[in-house]
Amino acid sequence: MNNYSIEEIRKIVREVLLEMQAETFPIGISNRHIHLTEEHFTILFPNETLEPLKPLKQPGEFAAKQTVTLVGPKGEIRKVRILGPLRKRSQVEISKTDARNLGVQPPIRLSGNLDDAVEITLRSEAAEVTIPAAIVAKRHIHLNDQDMERMGLKQGQVVSVEIFEGSRKTIFNDVELRPGKNFVLEMHVDTDEANAADIQPNTRGRIIKE
């Protein structure tokens, strides 16, 4: 029988905890937001530049000070945050609840897949534009190449994620992987999904191994 010292036991426990932590990841709650092209930003905010308010978790991305009002056939949602930097295509990401309040029926799509995005009006104090840009963002995991290798994942793989903490333990199926060279490991869900699973700022998830 091995006789470990207290310090050796503590070291083993630390290593086990670190290994367990590496297999889990934070769950980020993605509230409604907007990405704009330079053209659409200039129309809505003439003579302005996109001004950072606070950095986001993914490198180089930030919440901007500027907001707009979303306008649909049934209603509007004020003070919707623009995220930077500016993009090649404008995109509006809302939840299913937002969509019902606005009176639109956007498809559930990964960010950037805007082929069948629905029309939505964006209004600022200076102007408004109506563009086919609204989607409900599909839940996904941001991760880098090292995360992919460490977790035994492959490009194009779709996984299931268990929310194993809290009072509403949940399994999310059909979770897409979004690998990127500089991405920070984090799963993104929208506010409807977060409320259904009672996800808090410190909630973590893990991929269910098949």
Side-chain angles (χ1 to χ4, degrees):
M1 183 174 179
N2 293 323
N3 293 317
Y4 293 106
S5 69
I6 296 297
E7 186 56 40
E8 287 172 329
I9 292 173
R10 287 174 176 168
K11 181 180 179 182
I12 292 170
V13 170
R14 283 196 298 269
E15 290 174 351
V16 170
L17 289 175
L18 285 172
E19 185 175 345
M20 292 173 62
Q21 183 82 348
E23 292 300 316
T24 70
F25 39 82
I27 310 297
I29 303 172
S30 183
N31 198 2
R32 67 182 76 96
H33 61 272
I34 300 166
H35 303 279
L36 289 178
T37 63
E38 184 174 0
E39 176 190 0
H40 291 147
F41 179 83
T42 301
I43 292 171
L44 292 167
F45 300 96
N47 303 314
E48 292 188 34
T49 58
L50 189 62
E51 195 171 350
L53 175 67
K54 63 178 181 179
L56 301 179
K57 190 164 188 177
Q58 298 306 321
E61 297 185 5
F62 59 89
K65 291 184 179 181
Q66 288 93 340
T67 64
V68 301
T69 297
L70 296 181
V71 183
K74 286 178 59 178
E76 61 183 47
I77 301 175
R78 299 175 181 274
K79 295 185 178 181
V80 181
R81 187 73 54 189
I82 298 171
L83 303 187
L86 297 173
R87 291 192 175 185
K88 294 181 179 180
R89 294 185 70 179
S90 292
Q91 178 174 294
V92 177
E93 297 182 39
I94 57 177
S95 70
K96 281 286 188 179
T97 299
D98 292 334
R100 283 193 292 271
N101 292 335
L102 291 166
V104 295
Q105 296 183 341
I108 299 174
R109 295 288 182 266
L110 284 174
S111 177
N113 183 355
L114 301 173
D115 291 344
D116 55 352
V118 300
E119 282 199 342
I120 190 80
T121 297
L122 285 62
R123 179 186 297 156
S124 68
E125 292 183 0
E128 67 177 47
V129 293
T130 300
I131 52 176
I135 62 170
V136 174
K138 189 173 184 181
R139 49 185 175 253
H140 57 277
I141 302 173
H142 287 289
L143 69 177
N144 58 43
D145 294 339
Q146 291 73 30
D147 296 322
M148 294 276 286
E149 183 176 356
R150 175 174 51 79
M151 300 172 76
L153 301 171
K154 298 179 181 179
Q155 181 82 27
Q157 188 174 352
V158 178
V159 301
S160 295
V161 173
E162 179 185 15
I163 307 301
F164 57 90
E165 303 174 326
S167 58
R168 285 185 164 182
K169 297 178 177 63
T170 304
I171 293 176
F172 287 116
N173 297 314
D174 301 320
V175 182
E176 300 266 1
L177 302 181
R178 300 299 303 268
K181 182 179 179 182
N182 297 315
F183 279 159
V184 175
L185 180 59
E186 184 180 44
M187 178 175 171
H188 284 179
V189 297
D190 69 17
T191 51
D192 286 349
E193 293 168 316
N195 288 334
D198 193 29
I199 291 172
Q200 303 299 318
N202 60 347
T203 299
R204 300 181 71 85
R206 59 189 170 206
I207 292 173
I208 298 174
K209 302 292 186 180
E210 298 182 356

